[in-house]
Amino acid sequence: TLVNVTGGGMAPSLVGDLLRIECPSCEHVLRIGVLDEEFAGRESLSVSYRCPLCGEEGQREAKEDELWAGSSLLVLRLARTPARWECWEHEREGAVFVKRVVGLPGERLEVLNGDLFVNGAIARKPNELLEASWLPVYDASKPGPGPWQPLGGAGWQLDEPSQLRADAGAPWLELTRPVTSAHGYDRLRAEAAPVAVADLRVSARVSAAAVGSVSLAVVEDARVLAASFPVGEGALVLSVDGAEVARAEAPPLALGKSYALSLEVADDRARVSIDGARVLEFADDAAPRAWCRRGSVRLHASAGEVVFSGVLVERDGIHYQPRAGAAHDPAAAPLDVPAEQSKQNDAPAFE
């Protein structure tokens, strides 16, 4: 059976019908969730938007023929219990829903700082689901000024956002724009107020002309998790607030050569990649459980003449958050999934 997704409860990995609106400031194409019935009896619909890359806010009139079709799923009706993270089609009160399974019979679910915990242990998303869920929040390839701020002192050349240059002795450089859970489908879910997000991925193409190190960091409130890549000599080191927590014996970066570097922090796990190959993975069991107030990223270079090109910052798009008035909300209180259900459709659901 072919089922069309409606609404945005599982955006960005699965989406309903949408409008594509290009931001006039940075040219980023926004996907704005719209329901068919919103056009009932109207020639056009007034749509408000806020670009997640540059913060531009606007409003424009959209016509029904501008709608793009959302996701479609081929549903296989199998006589088995669905596995966690699989999509599940079910009926409730005469309506058909498509939801992603997160809890199984007999489990206790809890959402802490946007992450799902099952029976007290974090439930990490599968690699393919996480990869499909990253949403850009800053892209140096887009036009417009870069929202970067040195943390004391000089040494950065920020005139050209697509190429950030650091001299020897330059301080840490931080992204100043707030990162939140807001996205284009929130206009359909007004009960879910945006919260700060610190599950982030920062990547850039980096070259250095002197021996030392270059670093990428993800910041959660006052906590700094940093990956330091050696240039010329040394080992790759992962640290939390300056204290080493892991290292990898990856070859040091060669002088004058450009590398694609990446640090991602999601589901209480840090991953470091060089030229697309993962070189370090660390389970961050000491990660904060309280809801964060601020998430950001930082760049640093102890070596001189370092160029960070094409910096891209993304956030985890599957970030559970409290919802006002929700009947079943493990972000507000632990939720017990019944061990036995009289009907398939008795399972509690949340978005």
Side-chain angles (χ1 to χ4, degrees), residues 3 56 90 110 127 144 151 153 162 182 207 223 247 302 321 349:
V3 175
E56 172 81 13
H90 66 289
E110 193 170 9
N127 292 339
L151 300 182
S162 63
S207 63
R223 189 176 192 258
R247 65 168 50 208
S302 68
Q321 61 195 81

Side-chain angles (χ1 to χ4, degrees), residues 56-341:
E56 172 81 13
E57 295 184 4
Q59 189 172 29
R60 83 169 182 84
E61 295 294 314
K63 296 185 180 298
E64 189 171 8
D65 59 10
E66 295 183 71
L67 278 177
W68 289 68
S71 306
S72 296
L73 298 177
L74 181 61
V75 178
L76 301 179
R77 303 190 183 281
L78 305 176
R80 67 169 177 83
T81 300
R84 194 181 333 277
W85 304 116
E86 285 186 333
C87 290
W88 176 42
E89 180 261 352
H90 66 289
E91 294 185 6
R92 186 185 295 272
E93 298 178 356
V96 176
F97 293 86
V98 176
K99 295 294 182 183
R100 195 177 300 282
V101 175
V102 295
L104 301 175
E107 294 181 335
R108 166 164 284 200
L109 309 182
E110 193 170 9
V111 170
L112 302 173
N113 201 14
D115 295 327
L116 177 68
F117 286 76
V118 177
N119 297 334
I122 192 165
R124 295 187 171 99
K125 293 181 284 293
N127 292 339
E128 61 274 13
L129 177 58
L130 178 60
E131 190 61 35
S133 302
W134 290 109
L135 289 173
V137 295
Y138 172 75
D139 187 345
S141 69
K142 301 295 184 181
W148 298 97
Q149 178 66 47
L151 300 182
W156 283 93
Q157 301 175 39
L158 307 177
D159 297 336
E160 178 51 59
S162 63
Q163 289 194 331
L164 305 175
R165 299 177 180 271
D167 299 327
W172 282 92
L173 186 71
E174 183 168 285
L175 183 75
T176 59
R177 181 179 299 137
V179 179
T180 73
S181 59
H183 59 76
Y185 281 86
D186 288 330
R187 62 180 300 274
L188 301 179
R189 302 166 63 206
E191 76 280 8
V195 296
V197 176
D199 278 10
L200 303 173
R201 178 165 69 181
V202 53
S203 53
R205 182 157 287 278
V206 181
S207 63
V211 173
S213 66
V214 296
S215 301
L216 307 176
V218 170
V219 181
E220 181 172 357
D221 295 329
R223 189 176 192 258
V224 181
L225 192 155
S228 295
F229 301 82
V231 180
E233 59 187 21
L236 191 157
V237 173
L238 192 71
S239 63
V240 174
D241 295 335
E244 180 180 327
V245 294
R247 65 168 50 208
E249 298 303 324
L253 310 184
L255 297 177
K257 185 178 178 180
S258 177
Y259 295 86
L261 306 183
S262 173
L263 167 66
E264 70 176 56
V265 178
D267 296 340
D268 290 355
R269 177 174 56 194
R271 289 170 162 176
V272 181
S273 299
I274 300 177
D275 286 338
R278 187 169 301 144
V279 295
L280 189 152
E281 183 170 314
F282 172 70
D284 190 8
D285 297 328
R289 297 289 184 260
W291 290 89
C292 82
R293 299 177 301 277
R294 186 179 70 94
S296 187
V297 303
R298 293 178 183 175
L299 313 176
H300 186 257
S302 68
E305 300 181 54
V306 176
V307 179
F308 293 82
S309 301
V311 178
L312 177 65
V313 181
E314 303 161 284
R315 74 164 179 88
D316 181 358
I318 300 180
H319 188 273
Y320 300 107
Q321 61 195 81
R323 299 174 59 217
H328 305 289
D329 187 2
L335 173 65
D336 293 318
V337 181
E340 295 183 3
Q341 295 158 11

Side-chain angles (χ1 to χ4, degrees), residues 19-24 28-32 47 49 60 62:
L19 294 168
R20 295 177 182 266
I21 298 178
E22 182 176 291
C23 173
H28 175 62
V29 177
L30 292 81
R31 299 191 304 174
I32 309 295
V47 177
Y49 64 87
R60 83 169 182 84

